[in-house]
Amino acid sequence: MKKKVLGVGILILFLILSVLIIGSFKSIDKPTDDEEKITLKVAGDYNLRPYEYVNEKGQFEGFNVDIMKAIEKAMNINIELIPMTWADAIEALENGEVDAIQGMSKTKERTNKYAFTQSTIINSHAIFVLRETKGVNGIEDLYGLRVAYQEKDVQEETIKEIPGIIPISRSSQTEAIEALLDGHADAFIGNRITAIYYLNSIKKTNEVKIVGEPLGETAYGPATMPSNRLAYRLLEEGLNKIKEDETYDKIYRKWFGNQLSDGYLIFRKIVKYVAIGGCVSGLVVLLLFVWNKKLKHEVSIRTSEIELANKELLVQQERIYKLAYYDPITDLPNKYYFIDELNETISQLNKEEKLAVLYLDLDRFKHINDNLGHNIGDELLRLLGTRLQKLIRKEDLIARSGGDEYLILLKNIKNTSQIDEVVSRIIKSFKEHISYKGYELYLTTSIGIAIYPEGGEDSNSLIKNSEIALYKAKEMGGNSYYIYNAEIGKREYDNLITLNQLRQAINNDEFILYYQPKFDIKTREIIGMEGLIRWQNPKRGLVFPDEFIPLAEETGLIYAIGEWTLREACRQNKEWIDKGYKPRRVCVNISARQFQHYNFLDMVSNILEETKLEPWYLGVEITETTAISDINYTIDVLNRLKKLGVSVIMDDFGTGYSNLGYLSEMNIDELKIDKSFVWSLENNEKYREISKTIILLAKQFNIRVTAEGIESEEQLNILRELGSDTGQGYYFSRPIPPEELEKML
């Protein structure tokens, strides 16, 4: 038996050395020094061995850390790894403080909230008890026992629902295991690999045992927020590259190789016993003989266990393949299968042949999930997958990319008219309703198309560019298609560069505030000012907000930018008041995402306390669309702002729903008539009557009215006649730096 174990060990060592030697000859692409690298901030658990942990030297290492470093090298980007507690990592991701978490188990609930890349490993949870524990053979035997687990574990809700247990949460897996070893818990439920790795490292594998069946298998890998498409794309493409060049395989063997296998534990136990036997004197030969027979019996038992485990491993490998390459909802191939097929098709193309990648996204499918439930939504995705499969040739391929998105590969394209025919059939098919459980549902789809080689010469480029074309189709209103071209490709690249510069701008204090004064229309006295952000870009000069605010809102950077704007406006106004200038109110625009963030009110209160500005000298401006999007939430927030003493201004009134009835419910101090109405006052009687109605109604509710965008004396006179209180626009003053406004105060 010893010879067999030794032989297996030598064979494994030979295979590992062979892979390493072969891998060393592979060429490595080196990034050029003049490329501007994109930086991703990635969080990880500080104590989750062997996935990620801070070692005794204070270094962050583990399987996930090595994966991130490999992606950083493969994609020629910077990845800043930030270790923290698991709960803090989740909060940092949702607040936009980091771009991604380097390892998270994928569940249906989490899929609705986060965007998962392809998985790096398949995890399972197990029940651990002390070896001498009797009467606990499965989950049903845990009734009345103390069960330790990690806080916010992927199986936390399942654990809490086990009948009759006393749950004991700990901040990390290792602390939960220690609770079992120290007698503070009767059982531990957690990640099987993490537990075995940790018990192996502290040499206590013989003190515990695994009982019952696994609590479930989950795919595990990097995750980001759905809005952060840049981070998702970089991590996804990086994983593809390190899997193609076998870097992933080397990292996997490094962390989950022989040292976690049962065979290794048995081998180590044999070595330990042999070492003890070598120290025993010849006077106890009889005792050694008895002990040796007992050892053989244990080895026989363990061998049987290994054989059973190998059978289970084969079954698990089949399940892993199914999970890795097929979508569980539609039974269609998934994105990874699609990429493999696309790569093979590209490699077999002749010079005259083309192919096309179609990226489909269902328009407003979220409303179906929100109103009818995810179960019906999943069934619709399955039915649509079946319908789409019938619209393409047998040689072509359809796959589900994720969410409400599909990918289609059209092979052997002779001319673009073939693509047009398929796309027309798809769009036409969506005119037919889908019947399910009494519902007759009509859907539409947007399609992005990338054609080889104009739209890309490799799988990553073709898929990425078809997705870019998809966004263009969405911008056109949906229910249409768009073919990728070099012009929109350059625009997407420019957005990536702008996003990277925008991240640096936050850290480098490149933002400044300009101020546009607000005048009393009757006396022409300055009664307040509006703070307007500008970006002093080192390369591009002064950049106006319409060039970077939409990108900031899309990626979540708006939280940091909005907080800086509010703080700087309060600080500057307090400085003017302290210099002896007449106290005036400064107003700041609040984005929709910032207004709806859970800590918005706390942020406003903290900034006022920090800058020592009295609340009544601050006004926050929200658009009409933002206010109406969730009226109950808006009313609650506005009432709490009023209690705080902050003024509330509704901006761009007349451009949204213009629901005047809500004015009586919302606690608003001021209403701003949109400049599009003001510019038409001189020549459009209809707009003049609308403005008059808005002003009269606002007066009924004791709401001040400000007209923005005044550019002429005639406009000013009309607004004075209509009863507007305040004016703002280029007729009075453009937005100017603070030192210039100070001369006017």
Side-chain angles (χ1 to χ4, degrees):
M1 184 62 183
K2 296 179 182 177
K3 291 181 178 180
K4 288 184 178 179
V5 174
L6 181 60
V8 172
I10 292 173
L11 178 59
I12 292 173
L13 180 60
F14 175 78
L15 290 174
I16 292 174
L17 289 173
S18 299
V19 172
L20 291 176
I21 291 171
I22 293 171
S24 66
F25 289 100
K26 291 184 178 287
S27 61
I28 302 175
D29 296 330
K30 295 182 179 180
T32 58
D33 293 334
D34 58 345
E35 288 183 357
E36 186 170 4
K37 292 186 177 181
I38 294 174
T39 299
L40 294 182
K41 291 185 177 181
V42 181
D45 195 330
Y46 78 100
N47 192 11
L48 187 64
R49 299 170 185 259
Y51 297 91
E52 51 201 21
Y53 62 96
V54 178
N55 63 20
E56 295 74 16
K57 297 181 181 180
Q59 299 169 332
F60 197 30
E61 62 180 16
F63 170 74
N64 289 336
V65 175
D66 285 357
I67 290 292
M68 288 298 113
K69 290 180 179 178
I71 291 175
E72 180 183 57
K73 184 177 181 181
M75 296 301 293
N76 188 27
I77 60 176
N78 292 323
I79 294 183
E80 181 183 352
L81 300 176
I82 307 172
M84 57 182 72
T85 66
W86 179 245
D88 290 343
I90 292 292
E91 184 176 357
L93 176 64
E94 294 179 355
N95 289 344
E97 298 169 7
V98 297
D99 298 291
I101 290 179
Q102 60 185 359
M104 181 189 291
S105 292
K106 182 179 180 181
T107 64
K108 186 172 183 180
E109 293 73 20
R110 288 179 173 176
T111 302
N112 295 331
K113 193 171 186 179
Y114 310 106
F116 287 85
T117 67
Q118 56 184 286
S119 60
T120 55
I121 198 169
I122 301 297
N123 278 334
S124 65
H125 275 48
I127 304 171
F128 293 78
V129 296
L130 295 178
R131 187 165 292 277
E132 62 268 18
T133 301
K134 306 294 182 181
V136 179
N137 300 312
I139 196 170
E140 65 277 5
D141 299 322
L142 297 177
Y143 188 92
L145 300 184
R146 299 167 298 170
V147 179
Y149 66 96
Q150 180 185 14
E151 182 182 5
K152 292 190 180 297
D153 186 278
V154 66
Q155 298 288 352
E156 183 176 21
E157 294 302 321
T158 302
I159 294 170
K160 289 182 177 179
E161 291 175 1
I162 298 175
I165 69 163
I166 303 172
I168 299 176
S169 65
R170 293 290 187 267
S171 62
S172 68
Q173 294 260 353
T174 55
E175 291 180 11
I177 296 171
E178 288 293 344
L180 172 63
L181 295 173
D182 295 340
H184 297 143
D186 304 304
F188 159 69
I189 298 178
N191 186 291
R192 181 178 180 274
I193 292 178
T194 299
I196 293 176
Y197 187 93
Y198 179 68
L199 291 167
N200 186 25
S201 67
I202 62 175
K203 300 179 180 179
K204 291 189 177 182
T205 53
N206 291 328
E207 295 185 19
V208 300
K209 61 182 178 181
I210 297 176
V211 298
E213 298 292 331
L215 265 69
E217 296 173 346
T218 55
Y220 177 87
T224 182
M225 299 303 291
S227 61
N228 198 338
R229 294 182 177 271
L230 172 63
Y232 176 88
R233 184 180 301 128
L234 292 173
L235 293 174
E236 177 71 15
E237 293 179 9
L239 283 171
N240 284 333
K241 287 186 177 182
I242 67 174
K243 286 185 177 182
E244 289 174 359
D245 65 14
E246 299 181 358
T247 301
Y248 168 84
D249 296 335
K250 295 175 184 177
I251 296 172
Y252 186 91
R253 284 194 296 271
K254 172 183 176 182
W255 292 100
F256 305 111
N258 295 333
Q259 59 179 321
L260 287 181
S261 67
D262 291 338
Y264 174 79
L265 298 177
I266 295 171
F267 178 75
R268 197 180 71 175
K269 187 172 182 180
I270 294 172
V271 171
K272 175 181 176 182
Y273 287 158
V274 171
I276 294 174
C279 299
V280 177
S281 67
L283 297 177
V284 290
V285 173
L286 182 60
L287 181 62
L288 285 174
F289 176 75
V290 175
W291 171 83
N292 190 47
K293 291 194 68 175
K294 180 181 179 181
L295 176 61
K296 288 182 178 180
H297 179 66
E298 290 186 10
V299 171
S300 176
I301 294 174
R302 288 296 182 92
T303 302
S304 300
E305 292 176 352
I306 292 173
E307 291 176 352
L308 179 61
N310 285 335
K311 292 180 181 178
E312 293 177 352
L313 180 60
L314 292 175
V315 175
Q316 184 181 15
Q317 286 176 340
E318 292 180 3
R319 290 201 300 266
I320 289 174
Y321 180 82
K322 186 75 173 178
L323 285 171
Y325 289 101
Y326 284 86
D327 174 55
I329 293 175
T330 63
D331 284 332
L332 293 173
N334 63 15
K335 189 173 184 178
Y336 314 122
Y337 186 107
F338 185 89
I339 291 172
D340 289 346
E341 183 74 12
L342 179 56
N343 285 329
E344 184 177 351
T345 305
I346 292 173
S347 67
Q348 297 175 356
L349 279 178
N350 297 323
K351 290 184 178 180
E352 299 80 14
E353 290 181 327
K354 293 187 176 184
L355 60 80
V357 172
L358 278 58
Y359 208 126
L360 282 70
D361 180 88
L362 303 179
D363 299 326
R364 294 171 289 279
F365 191 75
K366 182 178 181 296
H367 294 295
I368 290 180
N369 282 332
D370 291 344
N371 294 297
L372 302 182
H374 286 276
N375 291 336
I376 291 181
D378 290 347
E379 182 61 22
L380 290 177
L381 292 173
R382 186 188 65 79
L383 294 173
L384 283 171
T386 302
R387 175 187 287 185
L388 291 171
Q389 203 164 24
K390 295 177 181 178
L391 299 176
I392 60 176
R393 300 169 299 179
K394 290 183 178 180
E395 63 192 85
D396 298 328
L397 175 68
I398 180 172
R400 185 183 177 214
S401 177
D404 56 355
E405 299 173 339
Y406 298 88
L407 284 165
I408 294 178
L409 171 59
L410 302 180
K411 304 178 182 179
N412 301 323
I413 299 298
K414 303 301 182 183
N415 54 68
T416 56
S417 63
Q418 293 176 266
I419 303 173
D420 294 337
E421 290 175 5
V422 174
V423 172
S424 297
R425 285 201 302 268
I426 292 173
I427 293 179
K428 182 179 179 181
S429 72
F430 274 85
K431 294 180 180 179
E432 301 176 10
H433 69 268
I434 296 179
S435 298
Y436 181 69
K437 288 191 175 180
Y439 295 104
E440 290 190 357
L441 302 172
Y442 289 87
L443 298 172
T444 59
T445 183
S446 299
I447 307 174
I449 305 169
I451 304 173
Y452 176 95
E454 296 87 355
E457 297 183 358
D458 57 71
S459 59
N460 289 333
S461 299
L462 284 164
I463 293 174
K464 179 189 69 176
N465 293 338
S466 65
E467 187 177 11
I468 292 172
L470 169 64
Y471 300 148
K472 188 67 177 177
K474 287 283 189 183
E475 291 176 6
M476 295 164 59
N479 195 28
S480 60
Y481 68 94
Y482 196 90
I483 300 176
Y484 175 86
N485 57 60
E487 181 182 346
I488 63 170
K490 181 180 183 303
R491 191 157 56 245
E492 178 71 8
Y493 176 78
D494 291 342
N495 281 343
L496 295 180
I497 296 301
T498 300
L499 180 61
N500 197 40
Q501 292 177 349
L502 198 57
R503 292 179 184 276
Q504 297 173 4
I506 296 174
N507 298 326
N508 297 339
D509 294 327
E510 296 175 7
F511 295 115
I512 56 176
L513 273 191
Y514 275 39
Y515 296 87
Q516 187 174 38
K518 298 168 66 175
F519 290 81
D520 186 298
I521 283 184
K522 295 179 180 178
T523 65
R524 301 202 181 189
E525 176 188 1
I526 296 177
I527 63 169
M529 49 272 179
E530 180 180 356
L532 301 166
I533 192 170
R534 301 289 187 268
W535 176 13
Q536 191 65 53
N537 186 291
K539 297 180 180 179
R540 299 164 57 187
L542 194 66
V543 182
F544 287 82
D546 57 345
E547 296 184 47
F548 64 88
I549 289 298
L551 191 61
E553 290 184 332
E554 180 183 342
T555 58
L557 292 176
I558 192 64
Y559 299 122
I561 294 174
E563 183 174 353
W564 179 89
T565 303
L566 189 62
R567 179 177 288 104
E568 175 61 18
C570 291
R571 184 204 64 77
Q572 180 64 73
N573 198 24
K574 174 62 174 173
E575 180 181 308
W576 282 329
I577 293 173
D578 290 344
K579 285 183 177 181
Y581 293 108
K582 179 181 178 180
R584 297 175 174 87
R585 180 180 297 122
V586 63
C587 301
V588 178
N589 290 288
I590 304 298
S591 75
R593 291 190 67 175
Q594 190 178 10
F595 180 75
Q596 292 162 358
H597 198 258
Y598 71 93
N599 73 339
F600 171 66
L601 289 168
D602 290 337
M603 181 193 68
V604 174
S605 178
N606 292 337
I607 288 176
L608 288 171
E609 184 177 351
E610 175 187 330
T611 59
K612 295 181 172 51
L613 179 70
E614 298 294 344
W616 40 88
Y617 295 133
L618 171 66
V620 295
E621 296 189 11
I622 62 172
T623 65
E624 180 185 357
T625 303
T626 299
I628 298 299
S629 63
D630 188 342
I631 188 64
N632 293 328
Y633 172 83
T634 299
I635 291 173
D636 178 61
V637 173
L638 296 188
N639 287 336
R640 292 164 71 181
L641 281 172
K642 292 295 292 182
K643 288 182 180 179
L644 191 62
V646 176
S647 295
V648 178
I649 301 98
M650 181 176 287
D651 196 11
D652 298 339
F653 191 81
T655 61
Y657 295 93
S658 299
N659 193 326
L660 303 178
Y662 282 130
L663 290 179
S664 61
E665 299 181 42
M666 292 187 287
N667 215 335
I668 294 174
D669 299 283
E670 184 178 332
L671 184 150
K672 297 180 76 172
I673 301 176
D674 185 67
K675 54 182 173 289
S676 61
F677 287 91
V678 174
W679 291 343
S680 303
L681 287 176
E682 299 162 280
N683 304 313
N684 193 314
E685 185 65 30
K686 177 181 177 182
Y687 276 23
R688 188 180 301 184
E689 288 299 319
I690 292 174
S691 300
K692 179 180 179 180
T693 301
I694 293 173
I695 293 172
L696 289 174
L697 185 62
K699 297 291 185 182
Q700 292 294 321
F701 296 123
N702 198 28
I703 298 174
R704 291 181 60 84
V705 178
T706 296
E708 58 180 347
I710 300 175
E711 296 183 352
S712 68
E713 180 77 27
E714 185 176 354
Q715 291 171 357
L716 178 63
N717 292 333
I718 293 173
L719 288 165
R720 185 187 295 113
E721 293 175 6
L722 294 178
S724 179
D725 302 295
T726 312
Q728 180 181 354
Y730 284 6
Y731 175 78
F732 297 109
S733 171
R734 293 174 177 268
I736 53 178
E739 56 271 14
E740 293 187 26
L741 179 63
E742 188 170 339
K743 297 175 183 178
M744 301 173 62
L745 297 178

